[in-house]
Amino acid sequence: MSGRPGVLVSGSAAGIGRATAERFARAGWLVGVYDVDDAGVERAVRELSAAHGEDAVVGGHLDVTEPAQWEAALAGFTEASGGRLDVLVNNAGVLHGGRFADVPLAAHRRTIEINVQGTVNGCHAAHPYLRATPGACVVNLCSASAIYGQAELASYSASKFAVRGLTEALELEWRKEDIRVRAVWPLFVATAMTDGLHIASTDALGVKLTAEDVAEEVYAAALPRTGRLARVLPPRVHTAVGRPAKVLAAAADLVPSFVSREVNRRIARS
């Protein structure tokens, strides 16, 4: 294996994925930029190469709903990395806001296929490479909408509950194989995904996080804990990003579910 650690980031042509690729490249990692947006991938590769060196980035096409494309992307990336996959970041996702019955069924299906099946595909295809790389890690992009089901984001919220469950299950399954599995939980982030999104919860809570805010937490989640306490404390599987998400997550752990329901009902003005 090469001396440079390697991270593959899905959906990394723009937004959180692009900022995450930049964060890892800045730390000296070999970064895999993969997305369905070929022009965006080319631009990201060009910019990252200019900033960090041509040997700092690998790019390619990836539709996360297609298992064969995952296989091809991982084969290409690990060929460049000398066989190692230290971190997989399952970032690719979509969001459709609006009242459930008003959103076309095709949009609901697309949300589940990309956000859920895409993450399942990535974890399944990457497992042999992660298992072969000591201290490997998966970071799944979850959401504060997985704390309690969100009105006007029904299928998106449901998809992130699935990502939460998958993360927790694999964290238990894969720990004996020296693979850490983590989830990062932002609230609304100022990216193309939230451009033009006007629902009750965005009006109440605002869109205050940047892609760079989330990327910093993804990078931190990917690194192993160090120090004496790391050997005795349970792993930190979930990381909420931003003060509102941290407050909502902490409250959900402390109060009965009907209180969480009431808080979310008021936010959504339902």
Side-chain angles (χ1 to χ4, degrees), residues 10-171:
S10 70
S12 48
I16 294 171
R18 174 65 176 79
T20 299
E22 166 63 35
R23 180 64 185 88
F24 278 92
R26 194 164 70 246
W29 290 56
L30 172 66
V31 176
V33 177
Y34 289 85
D35 203 298
V36 292
D37 177 5
D38 293 330
V41 168
E42 291 179 8
R43 181 170 57 253
V45 169
R46 183 171 62 251
E47 293 172 354
L48 289 168
S49 296
H52 305 288
E54 292 186 2
D55 61 345
V57 58
V58 178
H61 181 87
L62 174 60
D63 178 344
V64 296
T65 68
E66 296 291 339
Q69 293 193 23
W70 269 108
E71 297 288 352
L74 286 160
F77 178 74
T78 54
E79 181 179 359
S81 69
R84 68 188 299 163
L85 178 64
D86 294 86
V87 176
L88 169 67
V89 179
N90 280 307
N91 167 75
V94 295
L95 180 154
H96 295 281
R99 295 183 65 81
F100 179 80
D102 296 335
V103 175
L105 182 59
H108 289 302
R109 289 175 59 89
R110 181 170 179 263
T111 298
I112 301 302
E113 288 169 359
I114 294 175
N115 296 4
V116 181
Q117 192 61 58
T119 302
V120 170
N121 290 344
C123 289
H124 196 273
H127 177 252
Y129 300 99
L130 296 165
R131 186 176 55 192
T133 307
C137 181
V138 177
V139 181
N140 294 325
L141 264 293
C142 196
S143 165
S145 67
I147 297 171
Y148 194 93
Q150 295 295 295
E152 298 181 293
L153 290 174
S155 57
Y156 178 79
S157 182
S159 75
K160 294 305 182 179
F161 269 91
V163 170
R164 172 182 181 168
L166 180 69
T167 300
E168 292 171 355
L170 294 185
E171 191 276 326

